[in-house]
Amino acid sequence: MRNNSILVVSVAALTILSTVGIVYAQEEVVNRSALAWGLFYKMMTAAFIVGAIVQGTLVYIIFKFKEKKVKARAEISSSR
Amino acid sequence: MVIEVARPRPLWQILFSTHHTDVALLYLITSIVFFMLGGALALTIRTELLTPGTTIIGDADLFNRIFTVHGTTMLFLWILPFISGVGNYLIPILVKYKDMAYPRLNAVAYWMAVPGAALIWLGWSDTSWMAYPPYSTMRAAGPAADMWIFGLKILGLSSILGAINFIVTILKCKHPDLPMMKTSLLVWAILVSSLMTLAALPTFTAALIMLYTDRLGVSGFFDPARGGDPIAYQHLFWFTFHPEVYIFLIPAVGMAYELIPKFSRKPIFSYGSGVIAFLVLSIIAFASWAHHMLATGLTFTEKTVFMIGTLAAVPMSAMHVFNWLATMWGGRIKFAAPMKFVIGGIMLFFTSGAGGVVNTTLPLDFITHDTYWVVGHFHMMLMGTVSFIFMGFLYYMFPLITGRMYSERLANVHFWFTFIGTAVVFTAMHIVGLYGMPRRIWDYVPDPTIIVLNQIASVGAYLIGIGMIAFIILLIRDSVKGKPADMKDPFGIGEIYYDYRRREPHH
Amino acid sequence: MVELVISMGSHVIYEWIYVGVVVSILIWVGAEAWYGEKLLHEVPKDHITIKVVGQQWFWTFEHPDGKREVGTLHLKAGKVYKFEVTGKDVIHAFNIPHFAVMIDAVPGRINTIWVKIPEDAVGEYLIQCREYCGLLHYNMRANLIVEA
Ligand code: HEM
Ligand SMILES: [Cu+2]
Ligand SMILES: [Cu+2]
């Protein structure tokens, strides 16, 4: 639980900081396509990082835990 | 048609039966047939878009009818009947009851789907699967549009009857010695999605009647000239169909939960979190419908609320992925066809989920809404995840249904062509959407990038087509000639299989 | 509920940490999106209003001085424009991909969207319909000409 609150707080802080940054940089009328695409690239960066972690884990699991590699542990069973 | 080794029965016995495995078989065969027919339409669409201008479809009218029937078929004649088929086969087995609660109602629900399907395929409406008024009420040609409305009406009622049957079977007919918390997560999935069907579907069935009376000219619910509002329809429609997309997804998630522990030879990492994610999602799913309407002129507050509602549903999907990965972690995984399709499905699930988050991120809707990006998003979900898990599950049920084993080699061909094809088509669609290509168009701007991306997408579609041909050959050949399966443990994973003797009717 | 929590076992703490991470990322996404949308929502004071009407299957534009154009729209670089968009028969969507302008043209409603055309944007751009509207939807395009 403590880990969570640290995370939430730090992300919130980052958000506020970047928001404040944008507000003070704001003098002209916003350029809508620049804003939308800027946001899009930000989202893509986040998505690709998270995606790399998720897909990477999955690929790791596929190779690490395939049947041939773990013959020795035949006692595992799925019954709950 | 002989599809059972042990006790072949004539077709008419299956057709007129109310036994749950027989109705289930009818559902499954119907859904697979429509999957192939819908797929043929998809290949036609992709071929038309291979080059700018006319490629094979002479005019836009036919093209519009084709994508309408394609979409309607895939959602209502492939995904929904497949879920009913699997549910009918397995729910009575998994809750240890002799049949569904109302066997006759069950058969009625199946047979209602037949005229529903006929109306859609004989009518060839051009309304698009969303049938937004005023186009659908004032301009769309009859009798096609009217037949579409009635077809969906019947399919909707059939869904509701099916949902009631599942809910009663699970809650009232479950064996007293089997606590709910010890049932398979597939049982939870079917229960939750059936409850959602009851809550979500009536809105759309009402909207269909309003569409029809508007078409007749006796009402003006959606006609501004008579005090109506076309946007009201969209609220009614998406109030049903946003939850409905989760009604498509949740059973697939349940099937993945059924397969992953077995093929990893490990218990589910956290059964409880699976249940929690189902229950919470079933409620939150009702808080995001207007994310399909962000461009209709909603207020800033409305947009914010529905964005938050949409984002709030994402952690539940993330919990399932975690649960799956954690279940596989440290296991001893057997990569038979069912597991391959499930893992492929999980890979594409992340992509489509991330695409969905981008859709709802407010200013990005200006870029993505109603472009091919959205088409890429939901196909990645419905083909890449839902249909993949369905196909995997069909392989798992193959011995139960036919008493025979399928050929792993051909299944492998099926998997790889379909997986690569799916990744290619729908990624290309996302990108061409970013270049501004609208969806539902017969012809596009002959810009070199857009042309190339469309051609990549079409090639991907042909790869899927090859995979599907392998699938059809496998299904037909191996249900007739496959080796008899070891019915105790057909996949050699040290697991007890479903009791195949259930196929024999109790009367 | 108690049953549920117990059934989750003790190693489930990892799952909650993970959910925490996911939720944090989503909060960040939501905040960024909300802020961006807010900036785009408020129409700047000095703007020129253009009335846009979509009908099967062409666009009509009306300038403040009453001048009308069909199928072509002339705008000036460096100016802020507000579009008041409506549909005559069925729903269309007014879309200029290059400037990320996109709003539905709905019969019986007037939707607004604004854009500042950058100083250096002189040239020709595509205007298209992005909501399915029947037979010639694919070809419901217009020309945007930005002049110095
Ligand atoms: C991570 C979860 C998801 C999010 C955040 C999400 C978000 C969205 C959003 C915002 C749209 C509207 C896009 C637009 O028109 O501009 C959309 C469209 C769509 N989504 Fe999702 N979605 C998610 C998961 C799913 C799932 C699980 C399914 C189905 C199984 C699905 C099926 C669809 C469909 C069918 C459409 C398009 C409907 C149409 O316009 O024809 N989505 N999604
Ligand atoms: Cu939705
Ligand atoms: Cu249009």
Side-chain angles (χ1 to χ4, degrees), chain A residues 28-34, chain C residues 40 44 46-50 63 73-83 94-101 113-127 143-148:
Chain A
E28 282 237 330
V29 181
V30 277
N31 177 332
R32 64 184 300 122
S33 77
Chain C
L40 294 182
D46 312 313
H47 59 257
I48 304 165
T49 304
I50 308 275
H63 291 267
L73 172 62
H74 289 85
L75 299 180
K76 293 253 172 336
K79 292 260 159 43
V80 176
Y81 289 94
K82 184 176 103 183
F83 301 104
F94 176 66
N95 173 222
I96 315 173
H98 189 263
F99 295 112
V101 169
I113 192 162
W114 67 271
V115 65
K116 178 178 177 181
I117 309 280
E119 302 281 357
D120 56 356
V122 177
E124 275 193 43
Y125 302 93
L126 175 72
I127 294 176
N143 227 354
L144 168 61
I145 297 174
V146 176
E147 295 161 340

Side-chain angles (χ1 to χ4, degrees), chain B residues 413-437:
Chain B
V413 174
H414 171 209
F415 173 75
W416 282 108
F417 274 98
T418 314
F419 181 70
I420 295 172
T422 303
V424 170
V425 193
F426 302 122
T427 307
M429 283 190 184
H430 277 89
I431 301 172
V432 81
L434 294 177
Y435 281 91
M437 178 172 166

Side-chain angles (χ1 to χ4, degrees), chain A residues 32 36-37 39-40 43-44 47 50-51 55 58-62 65-67 70 73-74 76-78 80, chain B residues 181-182 261 265-267 325 328-335 343 347 350 358 363-364 366-367 434 495:
Chain A
R32 64 184 300 122
W37 284 104
L39 190 57
F40 179 77
M43 293 298 139
M44 282 296 114
V50 178
Q55 312 284 34
L58 187 50
V59 171
Y60 176 80
I61 289 175
I62 293 171
F65 300 110
K66 65 178 163 203
E67 201 170 27
V70 252
R73 293 158 57 216
I76 305 172
S77 151
S78 83
R80 286 194 311 122
Chain B
M181 292 303 292
K182 285 270 183 294
R265 298 165 167 118
K266 252 191 81 201
L325 296 191
M328 283 155 65
W329 189 280
R332 199 162 66 87
I333 306 170
K334 171 148 188 154
F335 291 100
I343 290 179
M347 286 201 152
F350 178 83
V358 167
L364 298 187
F366 298 122
I367 297 177
L434 294 177
E495 271 294 319

Side-chain angles (χ1 to χ4, degrees), chain B residues 213-231:
Chain B
T213 54
D214 267 23
R215 272 182 75 78
L216 291 178
V218 297
S219 65
F221 295 111
F222 308 128
D223 179 4
R226 300 172 72 166
D229 182 0
I231 300 299

